[in-house]
Amino acid sequence: MWHSVQFRVMLVVGIILSASIAVLLAYTAGTHERELLRHALSHTSRISDMAAQSIREEMAAHRTTEIVSILDAFTQEDELERIRLFDKEGTIVLSTERSEVHERVDMTHEMCIKCHTDGAPAVMPPPLERGRTFEGADGHRRLAIITPIYNGTPCYGCHDRSQNVLGVLDGIFSLQDVDASIQRVRRAAILSGVIAILFVWVGVAFALQRFVRQPVMRLLQGTERVAEGDLDCQLAVSSDDELGKLCAAFNAMTAKLRRAADARERWGRELENKVKTATKELEEANERLREADRRRSEFIRTVIHQLRAPVSGMQSFVRLITNQIVGDLNPKQQEMLGRVDKKCGLLLATVNDLLDMAAVSENRFQRAAESVDLCALAARCVSQFSHLADKKGVALALELEAEPAHVTATVRDLEYAVSNLLSNAVNYTLEGSVRVTVKTESDRVVLSVSDTGIGIMEDDLPHCFRDFYRGDNVTEHVYEGTGLGLSIVKKVVEKYGGDIDLESTLGVGTTVTISLPKDGT
Amino acid sequence: MSTPSILIIDDDPDFVEITQTILETKQYRVRVAYNQAEGLARVEEESPDVIILDVMMGRGAEGFVFARTIRKDPRHKDIPILMLTSMREQTGFDFPGERIHPDFLPVDEYVEKPIEPQVLLETVERLLSQKDR
């Protein structure tokens, strides 16, 4: 409730208006009360004057009985409750309260000081200022007024006015009726005030409800609906004030949002369709590509297989003949068949390399990498090449500086790489030695194959790892190869996070170093 | 000691002939078979001293099946087997660790095709001498 604008505005406006009404009514009632009192005072003073006039002559003649009867007549008046007559000395000579008679009042008494200052002769103030009010023992208010009794106008010609005072009359009047009127006025003022305040509050509440709260609540509900995504929400515009304009602006805004959302949705659907179509096309294309790739691989394998078997057969027959198992040959025939043997060997090497390359790039039937001891593997490879090295008269040495030296790879890939390096080293070495070393350097295992072979020309060094690249000096010699070996070795080594390095001096020798991450690092 | 008997099993008649020719220069007694069934029949007829076996990839690697069958048979499990392989031809076979593995390649020796007559003869001689011991 406290968090409602209506309540807050109502509270502030209501308090201000109520206070205004209260002040206005209090002021009016106060004015009215004062008027009533003045009226009573003027009436009282008139009666007192009349009484004083009436007893003047009797007093001058000291006719007490007459004075009493005249005053008795005055006390018959409703308002005049009591009357007292003082002589010039301040002694009560007559009173409706018999017990007071002969009592003397000092000049400092509150009823005296209105006219007398320090006991000096009176300076007469106007009658309205002579009155005084006090509360009696019964709780009702009284109005008292002192009226001087003079000798009479005819005497003023000779006597000083102050010396002609015979006494003073103190009339005490009841204010019961006046106070009752005042009470009525007050009650009426309070009642009308309460009714007016009630009307003010109800009116303010109604106006706020009608002109502020309702449109604001409509706007609030509309905003919530829009927030929930209902863009068709339109508000009733019930007035042409600021809030009405706000409602109209709200309607315009939601309509605009609706149009934008529609456009976006259309665009999104179009985009989605496009993406779907494109994805489908891509999937189909991809599938076709996979199929084509599968067929290509299949084709390559078939071709290789179909090539291998006949070449292998041819070479075996040729060797049968050159070994003179089936009959003698003349030297020319021997030499020519030797060439056929070599060509067959080259053809088989090419086919094998192509097959290896296909296997490395396809990862086909690839086993999971495992922990492999490079020392044991190198030893195995060296033993495989010992026959060829012996035949060529090349010394083949193996140095294992750290044994074992485990790396993570597949046996097949590592064997391929090491065999290939050994094959190159043995084949391109005419005389001298081939040395294989395995050692560990911090977190790497390093294998190097050094030979004292023909070497590689400086210009060829940067190209050695390219597919089908062969150095110029190689073709001068009898060694025949495909130029694929180092390229495949590099691919294999890099697959396991390794590096390959090649150092060579023409005519002196070549060192190929591969380094692989050590296991557990 | 009588002339050693050698059984050649290969589906390629050319290789059968080549191998046979090479072996006969050393006066071995050579018998031949062109598939697994024939090979088993020859073994049953007369237990050979050495079996020269081709993988016979074209026939679903019958060579492997044959080698395992022989190894399981208590009567023949000690016959040395020399396998002629062209393993690189098929990328599907890869043997962990040692090339010759009792489970994966249950043979005693292998020789790569194409055949080098000298190597073939040396290997056969070695197998024969091992068997005698």
Side-chain angles (χ1 to χ4, degrees), chain A residues 301 305 308-309 311-313 315-317 319-320 323 325-326 348 352-353 355-356 359 364-365 367 370 380 384 387 391 410-412 415-416, chain B residues 12 14-15 17-18 21-22 25 57-58 86 88-99 104 110 112-119 122:
Chain A
R301 270 195 302 280
H305 183 79
R308 265 195 70 95
V311 175
S312 183
Q315 200 178 27
S316 296
F317 275 117
R319 283 180 184 174
L320 212 55
N323 276 279
I325 288 166
V326 288
L348 277 179
N352 286 339
D353 282 352
L355 197 64
D356 287 329
R364 197 160 177 271
F365 298 120
R367 279 179 172 277
E370 57 191 324
R380 246 181 359 255
Q384 278 167 29
H387 180 74
K391 215 167 79 177
T410 66
V411 173
R412 181 194 165 82
E415 273 188 0
Y416 177 82
Chain B
D12 185 337
D14 287 344
F15 275 103
E17 195 186 334
I18 292 161
T21 311
I22 294 166
T25 59
M57 271 304 161
S86 35
R88 296 163 88 183
E89 181 179 351
Q90 292 292 333
T91 53
F93 290 89
D94 182 20
F95 310 107
E98 294 293 323
R99 278 276 175 140
F104 291 98
Y110 75 98
E112 291 257 4
K113 280 184 180 180
I115 302 160
E116 179 73 56
Q118 204 53 44
V119 176
E122 281 170 13

Side-chain angles (χ1 to χ4, degrees), chain B residues 119-132:
Chain B
V119 176
L120 176 69
L121 289 173
E122 281 170 13
T123 312
V124 169
E125 270 169 34
R126 192 163 60 246
L127 286 175
L128 281 171
S129 64
Q130 275 173 15
K131 192 185 177 235
D132 291 340

Side-chain angles (χ1 to χ4, degrees), chain A residues 380-396:
Chain A
R380 246 181 359 255
C381 293
V382 167
S383 77
Q384 278 167 29
F385 279 89
S386 56
H387 180 74
L388 179 64
D390 283 352
K391 215 167 79 177
K392 289 193 67 173
V394 173
L396 186 54

Side-chain angles (χ1 to χ4, degrees), chain A residues 120-172:
Chain A
V123 178
M124 274 295 281
L128 289 182
E129 285 173 30
R130 275 179 280 149
R132 67 185 196 280
T133 58
F134 61 91
E135 202 169 279
D138 57 0
H140 292 302
R141 284 206 302 167
R142 264 68 173 178
L143 177 64
I145 190 159
I146 298 289
T147 313
I149 304 160
Y150 296 108
N151 256 335
T153 320
C155 313
Y156 291 159
C158 312
H159 296 276
D160 187 339
R161 206 174 176 130
S162 63
Q163 292 173 350
N164 288 333
V165 173
L166 296 170
V168 292
L169 194 66
D170 184 21
I172 299 170

